[in-house]
Amino acid sequence: MKRMWAYSPLPATDLHTHSEFSRCSVDTSVQGNIATAELRGLRAIAITDHSSHVKKTGFRRYIETVRAAAYRADITVLTGLEVDIRPDGEPELGRSLLKKLDIVIGSLHKLPRRGVSLDGYRKTVLTALRKSWMNILAHPTYVNGREVHLPDYTIQEICDVAYENSIAVELNSHHRSPSDDFIKACVDRGVKLTPTSDAHRLRQIGVFDWHLEKLRRLDLLDKVVWLRVKDL
């Protein structure tokens, strides 16, 4: 018997979760994430651990663990990674390995910690989007533990290039990102959005109160183009 989805009209998908393969996990695991997703009424979940962490534990072991769990699951389980964007816009993991995944999330974590260079941010993110190696851009207004305040023209540029390359943007409740202006620009441009928990705790998986409240407050709930699993 399928559980009811509590956050309609949001899609019943959580495409950014971490498991025991990420050092920052508190109590998540591949099996635990899937079981929690099923209890919450999700129809699809992605396991997307940090690529830098998976490289140390073993890429093959990671893939085999997620796919074995997916085979036994009652919902769709995607094998993915959250991949750091290098300063040159390339993924920090080789493209031959990325091709083995169902979903790739591109994430910028490595700008200088004493301040975010907006010009460096702009060039890095736009280059990565144009290289089109990711499916989803992660928390675009959150870098290095701080909120990034982007000018309108940079937001518009990013949305234009994301749209042109069929790259979605996540609504990330863990980091409360992106900003209101960024969300509005995505909707105006027709960039696909996807609600994610970026879960490091089991209790965060598939909990989308922030997403629903945010879109209702911005009066955008019926205007969003949602990313569907079949789009990947």
Side-chain angles (χ1 to χ4, degrees), residues 166-181:
S166 301
I167 296 169
V169 170
E170 69 169 2
L171 301 178
N172 183 310
S173 57
H174 184 66
H175 295 305
R176 301 293 195 266
S177 177
S179 65
D180 290 1
D181 288 343

Side-chain angles (χ1 to χ4, degrees), residues 93-216:
L93 199 67
R95 290 180 185 245
S96 61
L97 295 180
L98 298 187
K99 290 179 181 179
K100 299 179 185 294
L101 302 169
D102 300 316
I103 184 171
V104 177
I105 298 176
S107 184
L108 190 61
H109 289 125
K110 296 183 178 178
L111 289 176
R113 289 195 175 274
R114 291 189 178 182
V116 175
S117 164
L118 292 182
D119 186 55
Y121 172 102
R122 173 183 168 276
K123 289 179 180 177
T124 297
V125 171
L126 288 175
T127 301
L129 293 172
R130 289 187 176 111
K131 289 177 181 287
S132 200
W133 51 263
M134 70 182 80
N135 303 109
I136 298 169
L137 177 64
H139 47 75
T141 54
Y142 179 90
V143 181
N144 284 355
R146 60 178 290 181
E147 187 176 353
V148 181
H149 299 282
L150 300 172
D152 289 342
Y153 70 86
T154 298
I155 292 174
Q156 193 58 57
E157 263 189 306
I158 292 171
C159 290
D160 286 345
V161 176
Y163 178 82
E164 290 162 5
N165 290 276
S166 301
I167 296 169
V169 170
E170 69 169 2
L171 301 178
N172 183 310
S173 57
H174 184 66
H175 295 305
R176 301 293 195 266
S177 177
S179 65
D180 290 1
D181 288 343
F182 203 110
I183 295 171
K184 291 175 185 176
C186 285
V187 174
D188 287 345
R189 187 64 176 89
V191 176
K192 291 178 181 177
L193 298 177
T194 186
T196 71
S197 64
D198 192 359
H200 295 68
R201 298 175 184 269
L202 287 174
R203 61 180 171 81
Q204 297 170 333
I205 292 171
V207 176
F208 290 163
D209 298 89
W210 176 82
H211 313 73
L212 208 52
E213 291 168 9
K214 171 76 73 175
L215 293 172
R216 281 175 174 161

